[in-house]
Amino acid sequence: MTQGSLGWAGGDGRSPDPAPPKIVVRHLYKVFRRGDRQVTALEDVSLAIPEGEFCVLLGPSGCGKSTLLRILAGLEAPSAGTVEIRRRAPQAPLNAMVFQEQGVLPWMTVEENVAFGLQMRGLPRREIRERTERFLEKVQLLPFRHAYPKELSGGMKQRVSLARAFVTEPEILLMDEPFSALDEQTTFLLQEELLRIWSEHRRTVVYVTHSIDEAILLGDRLLLMSARPGRIVEAIPVPLARPRQIETLRSDPRVGELFVRIWHHLRREVVGHRESGA
Amino acid sequence: MEQATTQEQRLAPGRRSGGGNALPVLEDGAWRAEQRSRSLERLLTLLGPLVVLGLWELLAQLQLIDTRFFPPPSHILSTLVAMVASGDLWYHVRASLSRIAIGFLLGAVPGIVLGLAMGLYRPVRALVAPLIGALMPIPTMALVPLLIILFGLGELSKWMTIATSVFFPVVINTAAGVAGIEPIYIDVARNYGASRWSFFTRIALPGALPVMFEGLQMGQAIALLTIVAAEMVAASQGIGYVIWTAYKTFQIARMFVGLMTIACLGYLFSLALRALAQKLTPWR
Ligand SMILES: Nc1ncnc2c1ncn2[C@@H]1O[C@H](COP(=O)(O)OP(=O)(O)OP(=O)(O)O)[C@@H](O)[C@H]1O
Ligand SMILES: [Mg+2]
């Protein structure tokens, strides 16, 4: 495997970036121990993500995508290797995560959920209220600000999660299959909403998905992962102009080619993994 | 986008109550049928006790059951009225209520504090859990003599008897409530940099509250069971005292009044706790 060089700045075929990358991961390993059984979730993962890139991690189920994201978020310690995130503003939070499952806190109203990250940083009350309101507006939840999550649909809950992450204006945004539990139409709407909010500031995003369509729609660059133990095996730039729209993407022949290329790779990983008896 | 918003707006909390009259005819019929079966159900719940009481009255009047042990309900009722009118009942209820309230607090507060500590800190749990596991199965009644030796014959021993019985369900449920908080909520708190104090007040406490309240409900029920035992020894007032002395002096109607009072208190306590739980956990 040559993954050691893949994914590094300039390794994706674009013109070399003069600024140092936002996120640098070097030779990352993660081994989980349960009793006397060991699971290697990540094996020698190296990658570099430039500032402002929307980077999508794509790989078969169980390959360690969530684990990688949790390590980036500091929720899990690596077994070996290093993670560096270059800070721009020292007072901004390092990262904010949108979780795969329901990460909305059920005992807080929509408003309290969105304000949570800001409150934890001890910002002045007025600023918290103002910023919370702005983002509730952006995700169209202002009329539901005093509702509890049990009164919301799945799509609305994920909007709360998005607003809660974006409102803290973190250095990097981490998203773990935020829409995977939603129906297709709601997913389309939320993907467009996400792109709209993201395009305002273009923060660095690491986005995990196993939907190829979603990866192409959202990403500047796709990092393909192998089956477990997860490694980065290929980096594919997405040469599509922004703003992107689902309608125009569907009829773009380049998208079809990309889809096939990614699918070939993923199928190899999934099938190859199965045949090796794991 | 438009479609999604209008659809979701129908869920808006403010607009839910207003639209009741816009139901289509078909649903209206189904709704009426449901209401009818509901009121029937309510009627049946009332009917059960009434039938039992009526039968009891009838059998007692016909001398088919021994009225020395089962005085007719009408007799119990007149005893109740007399006890209420003379202030006798209130005198005893007041004594029991204050014992239950103080004992409940003495048991529930340490139970909540220790339960939270057990849920939050593994070393505390490792230290305390076996002790609690060993002590819990001992019936409080069996502890009454020991508690009297320790705390004397006065009010203190009665408070402590109730406190002991309330403590165990509360501590166990509180610890379980904290331990049962979804790991994802803990991740969310860590991800947004919650301090220890914030984690405690914004995640651990509200997360544990529903299960904790189940413990308080159990504690409340047990406190009522215990009050009778606590007031059997060296007491000169209280509902337990009424039941016990009425039984010993063979005033069976008076004893039944005591039993009914306990039942009513239990019902009122559980209503009050449920109302409190609804107020403190509005997200449920
Ligand atoms: N806390 C843990 N303890 C033990 N094993 C774990 C733990 N977390 C993850 N694993 C294992 O590590 C591997 C990778 O898990 P991870 O959740 O990162 O996969 P994923 O790529 O996110 O999968 P999916 O697409 O299904 O979400 C899995 O085999 C999983 O069983
Ligand atoms: Mg995952």
Side-chain angles (χ1 to χ4, degrees):
Chain A
M1 269 299 145
T2 52
Q3 74 274 8
S5 62
L6 282 170
W8 287 85
D12 57 0
R14 295 194 301 188
S15 58
D17 199 336
K22 185 77 178 169
I23 304 172
V24 179
V25 172
R26 288 196 184 89
H27 307 296
L28 191 71
Y29 288 77
K30 181 67 191 182
V31 181
F32 288 108
R33 287 192 180 78
R34 225 189 248 141
D36 43 44
R37 230 166 46 91
Q38 287 197 357
V39 177
T40 306
L42 296 171
E43 190 175 84
D44 198 14
V45 170
S46 294
L47 53 87
I49 299 172
E51 171 100 49
E53 182 177 76
F54 200 122
C55 177
V56 176
L57 282 173
L58 194 61
S61 185
C63 74
K65 305 182 295 293
S66 296
T67 304
L68 178 52
L69 219 56
R70 290 171 59 81
I71 292 174
L72 290 179
L75 292 173
E76 204 91 64
S79 304
T82 58
V83 173
E84 276 167 44
I85 299 168
R86 204 168 48 82
R87 305 203 74 142
R88 186 169 29 101
Q91 75 279 6
L94 201 55
N95 69 77
M97 180 119 158
V98 179
F99 289 88
Q100 184 170 11
E101 313 101 283
Q102 291 298 347
V104 177
L105 298 162
W107 46 83
M108 295 184 197
T109 61
V110 167
E111 189 171 33
E112 288 166 344
N113 261 291
V114 175
F116 183 68
L118 300 175
Q119 287 168 342
M120 292 306 105
R121 290 174 46 212
L123 296 183
R125 238 164 230 269
R126 255 194 44 171
E127 189 184 342
I128 292 178
R129 200 178 40 223
E130 197 189 298
R131 279 166 73 168
T132 303
E133 236 162 72
R134 189 147 43 92
F135 273 84
L136 282 173
E137 179 95 67
K138 275 193 223 278
V139 296
Q140 299 160 63
L141 284 176
L142 211 47
F144 302 91
R145 56 197 298 175
H146 300 303
Y148 283 103
K150 69 159 185 207
E151 302 166 68
L152 305 182
S153 68
M156 292 159 89
K157 280 186 217 168
Q158 278 316 63
R159 286 205 188 120
V160 174
S161 277
L162 284 184
R164 183 175 64 189
F166 272 92
V167 77
T168 60
E169 298 181 349
E171 296 273 342
I172 60 173
L173 277 155
L174 306 170
M175 294 188 218
D176 192 355
E177 303 190 40
F179 309 140
S180 62
L182 305 176
D183 63 88
E184 196 177 30
Q185 287 139 49
T186 310
T187 303
F188 287 161
L189 296 174
L190 285 186
Q191 284 165 342
E192 280 184 348
E193 227 163 278
L194 168 63
L195 281 179
R196 190 166 45 74
I197 301 172
W198 174 75
S199 65
E200 286 173 21
H201 296 287
R202 302 224 168 189
R203 283 174 202 289
T204 313
V205 172
V206 185
Y207 190 103
V208 165
T209 183
H210 44 219
S211 156
I212 302 174
D213 284 321
E214 185 174 50
I216 296 172
L217 171 68
L218 299 176
D220 289 322
R221 192 165 57 120
L222 316 182
L223 299 180
L224 302 190
M225 289 181 75
S226 67
R228 205 184 69 220
R231 289 155 290 131
I232 309 277
V233 286
E234 206 168 340
I236 301 178
V238 181
L240 301 169
R242 292 185 191 271
R244 295 178 190 164
Q245 251 139 18
I246 293 168
E247 298 88 334
T248 47
L249 247 59
R250 286 271 153 153
S251 50
D252 192 322
R254 287 174 301 172
V255 171
E257 280 165 35
L258 256 175
F259 186 98
V260 171
R261 186 170 155 206
I262 297 164
W263 169 240
H264 275 315
H265 161 81
L266 285 180
R267 188 170 61 183
R268 217 170 35 238
E269 279 307 322
V270 177
V271 173
H273 190 62
R274 244 189 245 139
E275 281 169 356
S276 72
Chain B
M1 193 77 283
E2 277 309 299
Q3 257 179 348
T5 5
T6 45
Q7 258 181 15
E8 283 168 357
Q9 238 142 31
R10 249 189 263 146
L11 283 165
R15 296 178 60 166
R16 237 201 239 151
S17 47
N21 47 3
L23 284 169
V25 187
L26 211 123
E27 274 180 49
D28 210 33
W31 181 75
R32 279 218 193 109
E34 199 187 305
Q35 286 303 40
R36 230 176 297 136
S37 81
R38 276 251 179 92
S39 45
L40 184 68
E41 235 170 71
R42 228 170 291 152
L43 200 69
L44 286 175
T45 26
L46 270 179
L47 208 62
L50 281 180
V51 165
V52 170
L53 283 174
L55 208 64
W56 180 357
E57 180 76 36
L58 192 73
L59 292 175
Q61 295 290 357
L62 296 174
Q63 299 289 329
L64 287 174
I65 49 173
D66 192 338
T67 48
R68 284 174 304 170
F69 302 116
F70 297 99
S74 55
H75 180 44
I76 297 172
L77 192 69
S78 62
T79 312
L80 172 70
V81 170
M83 285 173 76
V84 170
S86 66
D88 186 27
L89 189 67
W90 174 237
Y91 171 76
H92 292 292
V93 165
R94 201 177 44 190
S96 292
L97 275 181
S98 90
R99 283 174 189 146
I100 291 174
I102 294 170
F104 188 79
L105 285 180
L106 284 178
V109 172
I112 290 171
V113 171
L114 190 63
L116 287 172
M118 282 172 75
L120 288 172
Y121 306 108
R122 295 175 65 113
V124 178
R125 185 166 43 210
L127 189 72
V128 179
L131 278 174
I132 289 180
L135 292 176
M136 191 186 57
I138 304 176
T140 317
M141 317 282 171
L143 286 177
V144 170
L146 191 63
L147 289 167
I148 286 178
I149 293 170
L150 283 173
F151 300 110
L153 286 165
E155 290 297 291
L156 187 60
S157 67
K158 295 174 184 65
W159 295 339
M160 293 312 288
T161 309
I162 293 169
T164 318
S165 66
V166 170
F167 174 77
F168 289 102
V170 173
V171 73
I172 287 167
N173 273 272
T174 307
V178 179
I181 294 174
E182 296 279 334
I184 182 139
Y185 302 144
I186 295 162
D187 283 343
V188 169
R190 283 210 293 158
N191 187 231
Y192 288 100
S195 64
R196 262 170 181 275
W197 177 247
S198 297
F199 176 76
F200 177 73
T201 55
R202 309 282 316 264
I203 308 288
L205 206 54
L209 217 47
V211 183
M212 199 169 93
F213 259 105
E214 283 167 30
L216 288 175
Q217 277 290 12
M218 279 151 84
Q220 167 273 121
I222 293 176
L224 275 169
L225 297 180
T226 315
I227 188 76
V228 179
E231 289 174 344
M232 275 187 329
V233 187
S236 57
Q237 50 176 315
I239 285 301
Y241 166 81
V242 168
I243 294 171
W244 197 238
T245 49
Y247 165 71
K248 283 201 292 197
T249 57
F250 217 67
Q251 296 173 273
I252 299 301
R254 192 175 161 82
M255 184 193 83
F256 273 109
V257 170
L259 293 178
M260 276 162 47
T261 310
I262 295 259
C264 286
L265 285 181
Y267 184 64
L268 290 179
F269 286 170
S270 75
L271 279 189
L273 268 179
R274 213 177 304 155
L276 185 67
Q278 243 153 36
K279 201 163 170 52
L280 290 182
T281 58
W283 62 87
R284 301 257 300 163

